[in-house]
């Protein structure tokens, strides 16, 4: 099945938004880890795991996903080439 130009565009928009949100979440959880907060080992997950779980929760709510993307873009968009 061949995609229409609109479908290809929408796919690229989704990839862009996902990359920005995941990058923002990863930075947040890496910063959190570096604060030195002591978390019991059995509860501790890597920043990558936390970011991925948070990302999938956001995907379940399109409005929240878009709101998070907009916040991340406002904060980090100017830093990107």
């Amino acid at each position: 099945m061949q995609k229409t130009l609109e479908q290809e565009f929408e796919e690229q928009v989704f990839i862009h938004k996902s990359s920005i949100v995941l990058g923002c979440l990863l930075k947040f959880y890496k910063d959190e880890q570096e604060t030195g907060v002591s978390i019991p080992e059995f509860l501790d997950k890597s920043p990558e795991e936390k970011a991925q779980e948070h990302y999938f929760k956001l995907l379940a709510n399109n409005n929240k996903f878009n709101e998070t993307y907009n916040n991340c873009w406002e904060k980090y968009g100017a830093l990107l080439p």
Side-chain angles (χ1 to χ4, degrees):
M1 183 174 101
Q2 193 167 357
K3 295 179 187 175
T4 66
L5 188 56
E6 183 178 341
Q7 289 170 326
E8 288 183 30
F9 177 75
E10 288 297 323
E11 184 177 293
Q12 291 304 312
V13 167
F14 178 74
I15 290 169
H16 165 77
K17 286 183 174 184
S18 293
S19 297
I20 297 297
V21 170
L22 278 168
C24 189
L25 290 171
L26 185 56
K27 179 174 179 0
F28 173 81
Y29 287 112
K30 281 187 175 185
D31 289 348
E32 179 184 68
Q33 183 183 43
E34 292 171 4
T35 62
V37 175
S38 180
I39 299 173
E41 190 174 315
F42 71 94
L43 291 176
D44 195 24
K45 295 180 183 176
S46 72
E48 292 82 1
E49 290 172 314
K50 290 178 183 178
Q52 186 177 28
E53 286 178 7
H54 196 156
Y55 169 76
F56 285 120
K57 286 179 185 176
L58 290 171
L59 279 181
N61 182 336
N62 195 40
N63 290 334
K64 188 68 175 167
F65 177 79
N66 285 322
E67 179 184 326
T68 302
Y69 164 76
N70 289 332
N71 291 336
C72 292
W73 185 251
E74 285 178 25
K75 188 171 184 176
Y76 297 109
L79 301 174
L80 299 173

